Amino acid sequence: MKVLITGTSKGIGRAIAQKFLSCGHEVTGFDVLPAAIRNERYFHVQTDIYAGELPEIGGVEILINNAGVQDSGRDIDVNLKGSIRITEKYALQKNIKSVLFIASSSARTGAEFPEYAASKGGMVAYMKNVALRVAKYGANSNSLSPGGVKTALNDHVMNDPKLWQKVMDETLLKKWAEPEEIAEWAYFLTVINRSMTAQDILVDNGEDAKANFIW
């Protein structure tokens, strides 16, 4: 299938792109950074999804909105408005089969930087709006909300033993997800899934469910 993924030069986006390539799909990746993937079925566009030039790409079948920033002063512009811009340009057409938004557990809890949490909460709401509009094509639209993921974005926490222990104390399974696991979820939701739409899937190792009963 013809797949468009934003934010493919590192972290979760790169892992998702590599998953689709390993399964034989054609992938176009958008990122402000140069290409980090070398594959004959991978095509890279270096651009800013919020303010940069967007090329004409016809017949996109799967769109995955992954590109994002955190506590940057541009969180709402890039994470939310950028994803809206990409979706409106490439997803609302007869070839589309699935649209996926990589949101965040903070969309539910609000427990991160204010604009970041707001941008991801807005993304989940927009996902539901997209589901209403792509249904006429027989397509689905969902969001995936990871909790902690082992990416360079989180080095500040992962490389500090004291902070890391505090984070682990907030999860039931005492771990964070690897980018490759999130990629598996993304593949399932867009390729395998045919009947679920307008839903947000939380993958957070039980952080949201953590509760201490004090008596």
Side-chain angles (χ1 to χ4, degrees):
M1 282 194 279
K2 193 170 186 178
V3 185
L4 173 57
I5 307 168
T6 65
T8 52
S9 289
K10 57 185 179 180
I12 292 172
R14 182 170 60 189
I16 293 173
Q18 290 171 329
K19 171 63 181 179
F20 275 87
L21 290 167
S22 72
C23 293
H25 300 281
E26 175 187 310
V27 176
T28 297
F30 285 10
D31 204 295
V32 293
L33 299 174
I37 297 171
R38 298 289 182 266
N39 187 295
E40 62 182 7
R41 284 178 283 102
Y42 178 75
F43 308 94
H44 191 77
V45 177
Q46 190 169 352
T47 191
D48 183 318
I49 63 169
Y50 173 68
E53 183 177 350
L54 301 181
E56 296 300 323
I57 302 175
V60 172
E61 295 171 275
I62 293 175
L63 171 61
I64 300 178
N65 288 289
N66 165 77
V69 293
Q70 185 181 67
D71 197 28
S72 68
R74 300 183 68 220
D75 291 20
I76 291 175
D77 284 344
V78 175
N79 302 353
L80 180 55
K81 293 182 180 179
S83 294
I84 291 173
R85 185 178 182 226
I86 292 291
T87 303
E88 296 295 323
K89 184 172 180 65
Y90 299 111
L92 302 175
Q93 40 82 20
K94 62 183 177 61
N95 293 292
I96 197 69
K97 293 180 172 58
S98 185
V99 183
L100 181 66
F101 298 84
I102 305 301
S104 168
S105 60
S106 66
R108 299 186 181 207
T109 65
E112 281 196 58
F113 306 104
E115 288 193 6
Y116 181 79
S119 71
K120 295 299 186 175
M123 182 181 282
V124 172
Y126 176 67
M127 169 274 291
K128 294 177 182 290
N129 176 271
V130 172
L132 294 170
R133 292 188 288 151
V134 299
K136 66 182 179 182
Y137 305 119
N140 61 63
S141 171
N142 295 289
S143 56
L144 178 60
S145 286
V149 181
K150 290 186 175 180
T151 68
L153 187 67
N154 294 314
D155 279 346
H156 168 73
V157 173
M158 294 190 297
N159 295 334
D160 185 318
K162 291 183 178 179
L163 286 178
W164 183 245
Q165 187 57 54
K166 288 182 179 180
V167 168
M168 290 300 97
D169 289 343
E170 292 300 317
T171 71
L172 293 181
L173 299 183
K174 307 302 180 187
K175 67 182 185 68
W176 273 5
E178 299 287 345
E180 292 74 19
E181 181 185 356
I182 302 304
E184 293 288 344
W185 277 99
Y187 191 84
F188 175 82
L189 289 170
T190 55
V191 176
I192 309 302
N193 167 48
R194 284 291 175 266
S195 299
M196 183 181 71
T197 193
Q199 300 301 312
D200 179 59
I201 304 302
L202 180 66
V203 181
D204 72 342
N205 282 293
E207 184 176 344
D208 186 57
K210 178 76 173 181
N212 295 307
F213 177 61
I214 309 298
W215 186 255

